[in-house]
Amino acid sequence: PWTALQPGDVSHVYSELAMKITNQVTSSTPFLPKGVSLNVNFPKLSADCSKAEDFKYVFTTVYHLARTIKCTGSFNGSLKSVKTPAEVDVIASGACLVSISAMNSYKLDADPATQIAVSNKLKPILTCADVKDSIVYSIFPLDTVLDRRHDLEDGVAETVEGIADTL
């Protein structure tokens, strides 16, 4: 009978990923801004993504309309700045990326100031990913939140329920 999580089991890997997020959120108070929850999406395990150490965490938005934050890092020797990807793009990339979005009580993206506060809280575990056309072109450490603005694109992401369902 099943009595404990075993290393390599899907549930074990996902619980390790969830605990890293939980530990970062609970590392200081307040845990999250009032009225905000996290929507977290884990990709399927694969040969390349089989253990918790294989995964990177990316701050995302639930919908394309709310892409307000930029992150920057080194890519092929040059500095590059990219907008926060929508979680559907991260999921579709097929990469070992965990998407984390800050949403309000209506399951919509949190306002820009709140997104910045949440991304700063999660900054120690975040990676900046350049996800375009469902392909991850580059991954680099989150360096600085540079800019905030609304990007008026069309698009709606289908989402998987967040971290509470995983725990």
Side-chain angles (χ1 to χ4, degrees):
W2 185 85
T3 57
L5 295 175
Q6 299 297 317
D9 288 347
V10 172
S11 54
H12 186 265
V13 174
Y14 288 161
S15 68
E16 288 182 304
L17 295 171
M19 283 307 301
K20 187 167 184 176
I21 297 166
T22 303
N23 289 338
Q24 185 59 43
V25 168
T26 60
S27 66
S28 63
T29 56
F31 297 149
L32 291 171
K34 186 176 180 174
V36 172
S37 60
L38 298 180
N39 191 58
V40 178
N41 297 281
F42 301 120
K44 291 181 181 179
L45 296 188
S46 66
D48 293 332
C49 308
S50 63
K51 54 190 181 298
E53 300 80 41
D54 296 334
F55 293 86
K56 305 271 187 220
Y57 299 85
V58 179
F59 192 73
T60 56
T61 57
V62 178
Y63 300 102
H64 286 96
L65 293 172
R67 296 172 62 201
T68 57
I69 298 173
K70 284 188 175 183
C71 56
T72 189
S74 178
F75 175 63
N76 292 335
S78 63
L79 199 61
K80 185 172 182 180
S81 180
V82 295
K83 283 190 274 186
T84 306
E87 58 189 30
V88 69
D89 297 327
V90 170
I91 295 164
S93 74
C96 303
L97 299 174
V98 175
S99 71
I100 306 174
S101 300
M103 53 183 203
N104 62 26
S105 58
Y106 299 104
K107 295 189 176 182
L108 299 173
D109 287 292
D111 64 79
T114 301
Q115 286 186 32
I116 289 170
V118 173
S119 69
N120 285 337
K121 173 88 175 205
L122 297 171
K123 186 175 181 176
I125 66 168
L126 293 178
T127 294
C128 187
D130 184 4
V131 181
K132 187 175 182 181
D133 299 326
S134 300
I135 300 170
V136 176
Y137 286 101
S138 64
I139 299 174
F140 34 80
L142 182 64
D143 183 41
T144 308
V145 175
L146 295 178
D147 189 18
R148 51 184 182 162
R149 69 178 188 204
H150 287 282
D151 183 13
L152 300 176
E153 296 178 345
D154 291 327
V156 177
E158 289 185 26
T159 60
V160 178
E161 289 302 315
I163 196 169
D165 293 339
T166 305
L167 297 175

